[in-house]
């Protein structure tokens, strides 16, 4: 079983001073656990502050996006080596907000995943269907396409360094989380698709769930053996609810 991963995706929240307060509060509340990894993904400009504060803790750091290029004339972009040197261990790639608001495609996501891996950053690769796709019974085909294209030209061993985040678009920021049955069903399907494609042990693939996770629904979700953690938006902006979700994860790991 992979370690449980609890990631706080801050999205575009918190200035540098606010980030400092939130990180300090998280550090003060959090009791580390050997099989649970706690990670924060603050905005680019607060990463350095977070990195300095987290240096002496077990809490790890992720960026919310990355450019596929190493350097060059790419105004406004941030490269994998920049994130690596800063102390990021991981990077969220293919979040539905990046796909739907900023036009990222499965192909550009694949470039980013390969670039991140090349530079020793562990991608948290987000997939998920929209409501109309679920209602049209297309959930599996949509996710299969996202996985096939997003993970193209990778080898089975690369999966050791990738976390898949299943984030149904209809559950993000809506307060309507997937039920444990819905999430388990899709996680099991993702596991089977990847294990078949690369002939790898399905139990070793880390698949976390995201979409309206709270301290109230986390326990039910984490009881599913297919759910290896959570990618949290709103509830990670409050240190108490974020750390509480991590503590709930320790009960089932
Ligand atoms: P919410 O937890 O606010 O629904 O956001 C989920 C998400 O998009 C995490 O990446």
């Amino acid at each position: 079983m992979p370690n449980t991963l609890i990631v706080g995706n801050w999205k575009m929240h918190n200035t540098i001073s606010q980030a400092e307060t939130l990180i300090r509060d998280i550090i003060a509340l959090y009791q580390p656990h050997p099989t649970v990894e706690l990670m924060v993904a603050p905005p680019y400009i607060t990463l350095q502050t977070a990195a300095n504060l987290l240096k002496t803790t077990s809490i790890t750091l992720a960026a919310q996006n990355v450019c596929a290029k190493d350097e060059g004339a790419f105004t406004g972009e941030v490269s994998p080596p920049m994130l690596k040197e800063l102390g990021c261990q991981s990077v969220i790639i293919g979040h539905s907000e990046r796909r739907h608001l900023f036009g990222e495609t499965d192909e550009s996501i694949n470039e980013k995943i390969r670039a991140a891996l090349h530079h020793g950053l562990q991608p948290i690769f987000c997939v998920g269907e929209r409501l109309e796709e679920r209602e049209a019974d297309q959930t599996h085909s949509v996710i299969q396409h996202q996985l096939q294209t997003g993970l193209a030209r990778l080898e089975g061993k690369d999966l050791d360094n990738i976390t898949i985040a299943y984030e149904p678009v209809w559950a993000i920021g809506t307060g309507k989380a997937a039920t444990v049955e819905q999430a388990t069903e899709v996680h099991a399907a993702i596991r089977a698709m990847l294990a078949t494609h690369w002939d790898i042990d399905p139990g070793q693939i880390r698949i976390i769930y995201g979409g309206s996770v709270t301290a109230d629904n986390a326990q039910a979700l984490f009881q599913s053996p297919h759910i290896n953690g959570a990618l949290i938006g709103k509830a990670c902006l409050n240190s108490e609810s974020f750390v509480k979700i991590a503590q709930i994860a320790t009960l089932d790991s």
Side-chain angles (χ1 to χ4, degrees):
M1 275 272 282
N3 278 352
T4 302
L5 177 64
I6 306 295
V7 188
N9 175 9
W10 292 15
K11 307 192 180 183
M12 197 174 72
H13 291 283
N14 293 318
T15 63
I16 293 174
S17 59
Q18 289 167 334
E20 184 168 345
T21 304
L22 181 52
I23 298 271
R24 283 192 195 282
D25 288 349
I26 292 167
I27 293 170
L29 288 172
Y30 181 56
Q31 304 278 336
H33 184 276
T35 61
V36 174
E37 181 178 347
L38 190 66
M39 180 181 281
V40 290
Y44 281 143
I45 62 146
T46 60
L47 282 171
Q48 185 66 66
T49 303
N52 292 345
L53 291 167
L54 295 175
K55 209 174 284 171
T56 53
T57 76
S58 65
I59 302 168
T60 52
L61 190 62
Q64 298 174 17
N65 185 23
V66 68
C67 182
K69 307 288 185 198
D70 285 5
E71 62 178 349
F74 303 104
T75 303
E77 293 293 298
V78 174
S79 73
M82 292 173 184
L83 295 178
K84 189 70 188 166
E85 187 182 290
L86 212 155
C88 287
Q89 172 189 306
S90 203
V91 55
I92 299 171
I93 297 179
H95 191 280
S96 73
E97 288 148 19
R98 300 289 330 159
R99 292 174 187 265
H100 300 134
L101 301 175
F102 299 99
E104 289 196 11
T105 63
D106 290 319
E107 289 73 20
S108 66
I109 289 164
N110 175 249
E111 297 288 323
K112 291 181 180 202
I113 290 175
R114 290 167 48 236
L117 286 170
H118 180 73
H119 289 282
L121 288 166
Q122 297 178 341
I124 297 168
F125 170 35
C126 303
V127 297
E129 80 288 2
R130 297 176 190 241
L131 183 60
E132 57 269 31
E133 292 165 337
R134 172 163 282 265
E135 286 174 349
D137 217 8
Q138 293 169 345
T139 300
H140 286 205
S141 59
V142 165
I143 289 173
Q144 178 144 27
H145 185 264
Q146 290 171 341
L147 290 172
Q148 256 169 9
T149 316
L151 299 175
R153 287 173 284 172
L154 298 187
E155 294 174 25
K157 66 177 170 43
D158 292 322
L159 268 287
D160 293 345
N161 290 312
I162 296 178
T163 295
I164 308 291
Y166 170 54
E167 293 209 313
V169 181
W170 48 269
I172 295 176
T174 59
K176 288 189 192 147
T179 63
V180 64
E181 292 79 14
Q182 287 171 321
T184 298
E185 192 263 326
V186 176
H187 283 222
I190 292 172
R191 217 175 274 291
M193 287 174 205
L194 297 180
T196 308
H197 187 79
W198 277 286
D199 194 20
I200 52 175
D201 174 4
Q204 285 310 311
I205 303 166
R206 184 157 65 184
I207 309 176
I208 63 176
Y209 167 79
S212 297
V213 175
T214 65
D216 292 330
N217 60 24
Q219 189 159 11
L221 289 164
F222 295 155
Q223 274 165 4
S224 168
H226 277 289
I227 300 176
N228 308 123
L231 182 52
I232 303 159
K234 189 165 178 229
C236 82
L237 298 174
N238 174 291
S239 56
E240 281 174 21
S241 62
F242 182 51
V243 171
K244 191 158 176 212
I245 293 168
Q247 269 152 5
I248 291 168
T250 67
L251 305 175
D252 287 292
S253 58

